[in-house]
Amino acid sequence: MINGERLIERPLRWGMVGGGRTGQVGYKHRTGAQRDGTYRLVCGAFDLDAERGCDFGKKIGVTADRCYADYKELIAREAAREDGVEVVSIATPNFTHYEITKACLEAGLHVICEKPLFFTVEECDEVARLADEKGLIVGVTYGFTGHPLVHQMAAMVKKGMLGDIRIVDLQYTHGFNSGDDVGAGDALKWRTNPKTAGPTFVLGDIGTHLYYLSEIVLPHLKIEKLLCDRKAFIPTRAPLEDHATVLMHYDNGARGRLWVSSVNAGNMGSQRYRFVGSKASIEWSDAHPDQLIYEVQGEPNRIMHHGMPYLEEESLAVDRMGALHTEGLGDSWSNIYLWIAQAIDAKRRDDEAFLKTHHYPDINAGTEGVRWLENCVRSADAGAAWVDFK
Amino acid sequence: MINGERLIERPLRWGMVGGGRTGQVGYKHRTGAQRDGTYRLVCGAFDLDAERGCDFGKKIGVTADRCYADYKELIAREAAREDGVEVVSIATPNFTHYEITKACLEAGLHVICEKPLFFTVEECDEVARLADEKGLIVGVTYGFTGHPLVHQMAAMVKKGMLGDIRIVDLQYTHGFNSGDDVGAGDALKWRTNPKTAGPTFVLGDIGTHLYYLSEIVLPHLKIEKLLCDRKAFIPTRAPLEDHATVLMHYDNGARGRLWVSSVNAGNMGSQRYRFVGSKASIEWSDAHPDQLIYEVQGEPNRIMHHGMPYLEEESLAVDRMGALHTEGLGDSWSNIYLWIAQAIDAKRRDDEAFLKTHHYPDINAGTEGVRWLENCVRSADAGAAWVDFK
Amino acid sequence: MINGERLIERPLRWGMVGGGRTGQVGYKHRTGAQRDGTYRLVCGAFDLDAERGCDFGKKIGVTADRCYADYKELIAREAAREDGVEVVSIATPNFTHYEITKACLEAGLHVICEKPLFFTVEECDEVARLADEKGLIVGVTYGFTGHPLVHQMAAMVKKGMLGDIRIVDLQYTHGFNSGDDVGAGDALKWRTNPKTAGPTFVLGDIGTHLYYLSEIVLPHLKIEKLLCDRKAFIPTRAPLEDHATVLMHYDNGARGRLWVSSVNAGNMGSQRYRFVGSKASIEWSDAHPDQLIYEVQGEPNRIMHHGMPYLEEESLAVDRMGALHTEGLGDSWSNIYLWIAQAIDAKRRDDEAFLKTHHYPDINAGTEGVRWLENCVRSADAGAAWVDFK
Amino acid sequence: MINGERLIERPLRWGMVGGGRTGQVGYKHRTGAQRDGTYRLVCGAFDLDAERGCDFGKKIGVTADRCYADYKELIAREAAREDGVEVVSIATPNFTHYEITKACLEAGLHVICEKPLFFTVEECDEVARLADEKGLIVGVTYGFTGHPLVHQMAAMVKKGMLGDIRIVDLQYTHGFNSGDDVGAGDALKWRTNPKTAGPTFVLGDIGTHLYYLSEIVLPHLKIEKLLCDRKAFIPTRAPLEDHATVLMHYDNGARGRLWVSSVNAGNMGSQRYRFVGSKASIEWSDAHPDQLIYEVQGEPNRIMHHGMPYLEEESLAVDRMGALHTEGLGDSWSNIYLWIAQAIDAKRRDDEAFLKTHHYPDINAGTEGVRWLENCVRSADAGAAWVDFK
Ligand SMILES: NC(=O)c1ccc[n+]([C@@H]2O[C@H](COP(=O)([O-])OP(=O)(O)OC[C@H]3O[C@@H](n4cnc5c(N)ncnc54)[C@H](O)[C@@H]3O)[C@@H](O)[C@H]2O)c1
Ligand SMILES: NC(=O)c1ccc[n+]([C@@H]2O[C@H](COP(=O)([O-])OP(=O)(O)OC[C@H]3O[C@@H](n4cnc5c(N)ncnc54)[C@H](O)[C@@H]3O)[C@@H](O)[C@H]2O)c1
Ligand SMILES: NC(=O)c1ccc[n+]([C@@H]2O[C@H](COP(=O)([O-])OP(=O)(O)OC[C@H]3O[C@@H](n4cnc5c(N)ncnc54)[C@H](O)[C@@H]3O)[C@@H](O)[C@H]2O)c1
Ligand SMILES: NC(=O)c1ccc[n+]([C@@H]2O[C@H](COP(=O)([O-])OP(=O)(O)OC[C@H]3O[C@@H](n4cnc5c(N)ncnc54)[C@H](O)[C@@H]3O)[C@@H](O)[C@H]2O)c1
C-alpha cells in the first residue's frame, strides 16, 4: 500500500510544457505528480497563449519569473539556474512531442511525454538513442495503467491462473464525436488533422491505452500479424478514423480483437479488457474499476475488489485507497508518476541494477505504441488487409 | 399482451422428430408449442433409440401407437390416419435436417426445423421451392428472437430513434468447450464433426442466432462484404472452429463485428447485441433480458424494462409476463411457435394477404443463415480474407 | 432437470375461478399448470362478467358447456359429471378466497388458492381442518418460489455454508402506485379497500411473497417479535398502507428487516433477498433471477448461475431451461403447480409417506403468511410498537 | 470543474495530529489537502509512538524539528514560531478529538477533525462556542460527501425533480468484522471499547457518513422521531453494536430507514443512498460512484454519469476528473479540504458574507452527527423504542 512516504531521495524539480488552463489532460499530470513528495512544480510553459499560461502558472504556485512564453525559453532560462528544472512533462498536441522531447533531452532534462509518443517509429528510435546517450529517462503517461487491478491481472497471468492465453478482447469507445465537427474546440480540431494528430485519430488517441495495458498483462506475447479496418463516419475526419477494428494473431496462436471508436453514440466508460485462457478469463473495465472479474470455467464467477488481502502482492503494493474506497483515475496517474520518478532517481544515482527490473511506461512502451499504430495504418491503407507485424 | 387466448382456428396436430429424453433442445420446443392452445402433440419419433423414444413419448402424453421408431414410420403411419399429424418439428442433429424436412414436405406436412437449417444454400433453395409447390410452411426455431425487447429494438430502429445505423456489435460466447473433447457427450460429438454438423461449429451453432436477430432489427441493411477469421483452439475440432470473429461491411456504410466462441472460459450468458446509430445506441443482452439499454448521445443512459407502457406497441403486443416479471426463454419460444402457427393457419385458410405481412422465422430466414455461414467459410478458407457477400 | 415428463399418474382435471381476460394473474396460473402434462383445463368461472368469462373460456380451450357463470354453478354442475373437475384454482380478489375455498372443499375438490390466503388465521385454521377432514389439498400460489436458485439458497443454508444466520434483509418494492388512485382500475380499487383486500395492502400483496420465500430458506428460524411501521402516502388508501417497514427478531438472535412499497417511484424489479451468516451471505434478486450472489467474507464474491453443475442437487433437480437460458417467472410457476399436483396425486393414492417429506406451498404456508400479516397489523395499530409474535 | 488553480489567497500552513504510518485514514487527509495549493504540511504529531511518528513525518516532507512528540508540544512550539502552523487536522481515535480540538482552538488554530466529532452534544456545543469566540473554523472530514454526484442529488431535490420526498433509504455495511476480535489490531480495539470509541461502534463509525450525506441532500427535512435497534453479534463488542437498524419519521411525513453493519459478511462497497419522491427517485452507491440512477415513475430509468454536461451546475463545478474518468475517493476528500480551506481563508479575511452562503462540513455538521447518535443510543437503550428527536 502506498501511503505517501517518499520513495526517492528528494523531490524532483519539475516543469510542464502545455497542460494549461484549457488543456484537457494537464490537471491529471499535476494531480498525479504532486502526491508523494516526488515532484515539485517549479516552472512551466503551459500555454500557446503565453500570457494566459503565465497567469495560470502563478495560480498553480509557480513563481512569475519561471512561467515562460514557450518551451525554448523554459529550457534556456532554466539551464541558467542552479536550481533549474530536472524533468519536464509534455502535455501538448501530438505533433509537438517530438521536437519538444528532443530539445529537453538535449538540454539534459528528463522527459515525461504524452501518448501517442511521436508520429513514427523512426523518430522514437532516434530519441531513444539520444536519451540513452544522455543518460536520461523518457516516461510516457499511459495514465490508466497505474490501477492496482491492472497489476493484479498481470500477476494472475504470470502465475498461470488463466492457463494458456487464447483470446484478447479490447475495447475503448465513447460517443462524444457522434456529431460532426462544426464548431469543434481546439482539442478536437488538432486531433482530426493528420498534420497535428499524426497518422491516426482514435487509434492513437485511445487505442494506444488498450495496447499498452495489454502489453503489461501479456508481456510475453507478440503480435505476428494484424488487420485494421478503419473508417471516418464523419467524412471530414478522413483520412483519419473515428472508428476502427483491429484483429491480431499472436505468436502463441492467440487471437485478439480490439475496438476503438468515438462515435459509439451514448456509450459511457467502455474501456474494457478481457483476457481468456484455457482455464479461466479475467475482465476489467474502467466503468467499474474497483472490480476485477475472474471466471474459472465450471466454477462460479468471482468478483475481486481492489485492496483485498486475497489479491496478489503486486497489486496490493500499489494500492492507495484500500478496499471499499474508490481508487480513482488520479490515483492511477500518481502511480505512473511515482514509477517514473523512481526511474529518474535511479538514473541520477546511476543505479542500473534497479532500473533493470523496475517497470514503468518508458520510451520503449511509447515506441511500441507507435509501432502498433504504424502497422494498423499500413493494414488499413492496404484495404484492411492482413499485414505481418514489424 | 399475450394471455393464452387462441389466435388461430383450432389447435394444430403436431409431432416431433428428435428432441428426446437426452436431447438438449426438445423441452424448449414443447414448452414453446404447448402454451396458447395452438399445438397439440399427437405423435413423435423422438429418439435414435426407438425404445427410449417411445417410453419418453408416452411420458409426455403421446399414445403408444403414435410413438414411432423413426421419422419414416411416423410419416407413413400418420398419413394413413384421418387425424394424422399436420406439422412436424425437427430437433435432431444438423445433418438430418435436410432429408427429414424434405420427406415431411413431400408427405404434405408443415415443418418447424432447427437451425442451422441445412448445409448449403442450394439445399435451402431446393426445399423452399418444394414447400412453395406444396403450399406448406417451413419455420425455423431461432428461439431467442421471440423476446418482446427484440421487437422493441426493431421498432426503435424503424422509427429512426437511432439515426443512421453505423455500427453493429454482436457477441454470443460461452466457455463450455474450453477443455478438450475427451469423453464428450453425443451433442458435442456431432457438433464438432463436419459430416454431422456441416461446414461450421460455433458459427452455425450460435452465430446464426446473432445473425438472424440482427436481420430482424436491421431488415433494410445488406452485407456487402465480410471477413471471417476462425480457429479451433482444441485442434481435434478442426477444420471446424470453436472461435471466430467476423467483420462485416453493410451497404449503407455501416460496420459490423461479431464474435462467437465456445472457449470463452467462464463466460456466462454473453449473448450481446449493440446497434449504434448517428444519434443513439441500443443494447440488449441475454444476461439481463428484461432490460434494454437505450443511449442517446449527450443524455443520461436509459434502461427500458419489458412490459412498460412507454415501449412501442410492437413490443407490448408480444409480452407475456408483464413488467417486473421475468420473461424467460420459454416465453420467447412460445412467441416463435405462435407466429409459425399463425402462418400455418393462414396457409390452411389460403389467407395470402395475412402471410404477406406476417413476420416469423421462415425458410428465408433459415436460408439467409446458411448463406451467411457459406460466406464466412469462404472467407475463412481464403485465409480470413475479405469476400464479397453473395 | 425437469423436461416435461409427467411425474404423476395422469393429468388432473382442472378448473379456474377468476383469472379471466382482464385478470392480472390468470395467465400465470395457466402457463404454470399446463406445462408438464399435470393439469388439463376442463372448466371455469373465469369472470365476474359471466358472458365475458364464457367467451374467454372458449378461447382458451374450455368447451362452452363447462364455462360457468359463477363458482357455485361450477361446483354444482361439475359434481354431476363423471369426468368432473378435481382441482380448482382461485384467482379472484382476496375477500372471496375464503368462501370459494370452503365451497370447493366441501364439494370434495382440491384447491389452489391465491395469496394472501384469507383475512384471518382463524379462517385459515378452520379451512385447514376442513381440508384435513376431507382429505384434500390446499396449495397456495407463491409463484416466485419455484425458481431453482431459491432452492439453491435453501440448500446452502441447510449445509451450513453461511454459518449461523445473523441478518435477513428482504425487499419487494415498486413505484406503480406513486400517483393517486383517481381513475384506478379494478385491480387497484379492490386492493386499497379493506373490505375486499383484507387488513393490508402491500404487506399482503407483495410482502407475503418475501415472507414465504424467507421461510423456505430459513425453515428453522422463528420470529420472536416484530415491529411494523406502515403508512399510506396516498391518504385515500388509509387505513391500508402503500409502504411499510418491518423489523423482526428471530429466536436464534438473528435480526430481520423487510421493506414493501408500491410508491418507490421508478423502482423496477426490486424483489431482493439477502441472508447474512457468520461466514458468508447470499443474495438473490428478481431483477437478475438467473444469478445468485454468494459472498464469503474475505474471499472474492461469487456469482452462481442457475443450471450450472456446481449448484446443489436440490436446485438442479428443479431447473427447466438450463444454464445460459433464462428461467422465467412462468417456469417458476410451473414448478409450484407441479409440486401441488404431486401432492394431490399422492393424496389420491393415499401416499402419506410421500406427503410427509414433499415440500410445496401448502395451507400452512398460506396460514403462516396470514399470521405474519396479523402480527404486522397488530404492531402497526399499536403505533409501530414491538409485539410478541403469536 | 476544478483544475487545481488556487482558490484562496495563499497556501495555509498545516499540521496533523495522528494519521501516522499505521493509521488508516491519514493518507486520505494528505491526499485531500495537498492537491490545490491550499495546504502546505509544515508540522505534525503523527503517532502515539513519537519516534515512529517523527521518522514518518520526515518521509512525508516535514522537517525534523517540526515533527513533535505529541499535540501539546506541537501547539506550544509552533506558537513560538513566526511561520507557525495555522490549521491542524486531527486523525486520532475518537476519545481524543475533544481535548485536542479544544487545545488547538485555545491556541488560536483552526481545526479539521475526524468524525464522529466528540462523544456528546454538550461537548460539541461548548467547542462551537469556543471556536466562535476565537473566530476559528472547525471542519469535519465527512470525506465521501465531496463527490460531484452527491451535489447533483442535492441540486435535483432542490429543483423539485423528485417531487415531495417520501422515503429515505440509507445503507453502509461491510463484513470485515464478521469474525471475533481475537488478535484484532489497534484500530478495531479502540473502536469496540466505549471508553475510546464513545457510545457507539458502527453507528458512529460509518452511520454518521450516511446521516451527513442525507442532510446535504435533504437540508430542509428534520427528524421528528426515530427508533434504533442495535446489536453486537460478537458479544465482546457489547454494549457497542456491530449492527443497527434505524427507522426515522421526518417532519414532512417522510419515512427513513438506515442500516449499518460491519458483520454483513462478504459485502463489499455497500454505501447506498436512495431518495424517493412522489415523482421520481435517485440512487447513488459507493460501489459505482461514477453513476447516479434517476428513476422517474413511468419512464425508462436513467443513468447519469459524473462530468456530463446534462448535470446541474452545482455538480459540474466540483468535478475534477471529467466524464469517463473515475472520480476517486481522494478527489472527494480534496473537495472537502478545499471547502474548509475556503472557509478558513474567508475567516482570515473577515469575509462573513462569503461564510454565510459557503457550504462545508462545519462544526454544526459534526454536532448534528453526534446529536443523531445520542438519539439512536437513547432509543436503543430504551429497548429499540421510538423516541422524539431532540
Ligand atoms: N494520457 C491520457 O490519458 C491523455 C488524455 C488526454 C490527452 N492526452 C494527450 O495529451 C496531449 C494533449 O492533449 P489535450 O487533450 O490536453 O489537448 P488540448 O488541446 O486540450 O490542450 C493542449 C494544451 O497544450 C497547450 N499547448 C499547445 N501547444 C503548445 C506549445 N507548443 N507549447 C506550450 N503549450 C502548448 C495548449 O495551450 C493547451 O493548454 C495529447 O498528446 C493527447 O494525446 C492524453
Ligand atoms: N434453437 C436453439 O436455441 C437450439 C438450441 C440447441 C440446439 N439446437 C439445434 O437443435 C438440433 C438438436 O440439437 P441438440 O443439442 O438437441 O442435440 P442432441 O444431440 O442433444 O439431441 C438430439 C436428439 O435427436 C435425437 N435424434 C438424433 N437423430 C435422430 C433421428 N434420425 N431421428 C429421430 N431422432 C433423432 C437424439 O436421440 C436426441 O434425442 C441441432 O440442429 C441444434 O443445432 C437449437
Ligand atoms: N401470486 C402472485 O404472484 C399474484 C400476482 C397477482 C395477483 N395475485 C393474487 O391473485 C388474486 C387476483 O388478483 P388479480 O390481480 O388477478 O386481480 P384482478 O382484479 O386483476 O382480476 C381478478 C379476476 O377475478 C375475476 N373475479 C372477481 N371476482 C370473481 C368471482 N366472484 N368469481 C369469478 N371471477 C371473479 C375478475 O373478473 C378478474 O378476471 C388476488 O388474490 C391477488 O392477491 C397473486
Ligand atoms: N472520514 C473517514 O472516512 C474516516 C475513515 C477512517 C477513520 N476515520 C476516523 O479517523 C479517526 C482515526 O481513525 P483510524 O482508523 O485512522 O485510526 P487508527 O487507529 O488506524 O490510527 C490512529 C492514528 O492516530 C495516532 N494516534 C493515536 N492517538 C494519538 C495521539 N494522542 N496523538 C497523536 N497521534 C495519535 C496513532 O498512532 C495512529 O497513527 C477516527 O476518529 C475515525 O473515526 C474517518
Side-chain angles (χ1 to χ4, degrees), chain B residues 20 23-25 47-48 92-94 97 114-115 141 190-191 209:
Chain B
Q24 296 191 139
V25 84
D47 206 311
L48 262 182
T92 53
N94 302 348
H97 295 175
E114 267 300 345
K115 43 50 49 189
T141 44
W190 71 251
R191 274 175 167 87
H209 287 297

Side-chain angles (χ1 to χ4, degrees), chain A residues 92-156:
Chain A
T92 55
N94 302 348
F95 75 104
T96 65
H97 296 174
Y98 170 69
E99 79 177 46
I100 303 178
T101 301
K102 259 180 52 172
C104 287
L105 291 174
E106 264 150 14
L109 303 175
H110 301 281
V111 170
I112 299 172
C113 186
E114 266 301 344
K115 42 49 54 189
L117 187 55
F118 305 140
F119 281 15
T120 64
V121 170
E122 210 182 325
E123 290 168 351
C124 295
D125 288 344
E126 179 202 338
V127 169
R129 274 192 306 273
L130 177 60
D132 195 47
E133 278 163 35
K134 297 279 188 178
L136 294 167
I137 293 294
V138 176
V140 181
T141 45
Y142 291 113
F144 296 101
T145 54
H147 197 286
L149 291 179
V150 170
H151 298 272
Q152 173 68 17
M153 289 197 284
M156 290 173 77

Side-chain angles (χ1 to χ4, degrees), chain A residues 325, chain D residues 16-26 28-29 45-49 52 69-71 90-97 99-100 113-117 140-144 172 185-188 190-191 196 204-206 208-209 329 333:
Chain A
H325 293 153
Chain D
M16 284 194 77
V17 179
R21 184 171 288 142
T22 62
Q24 296 192 139
V25 84
K28 291 179 179 72
H29 284 262
F46 299 101
D47 206 313
L48 261 183
D49 175 332
R52 187 173 59 184
D70 60 35
Y71 77 88
I90 302 169
T92 53
N94 303 347
F95 75 105
T96 65
H97 295 174
E99 79 176 47
I100 303 177
C113 186
E114 267 301 344
K115 41 52 49 189
L117 188 55
V140 181
T141 46
Y142 291 114
F144 297 100
Y172 193 167
D186 285 349
L188 185 54
W190 71 251
R191 274 175 167 85
T196 45
D205 200 43
I206 50 185
T208 46
H209 287 297
L329 182 56
W333 275 78

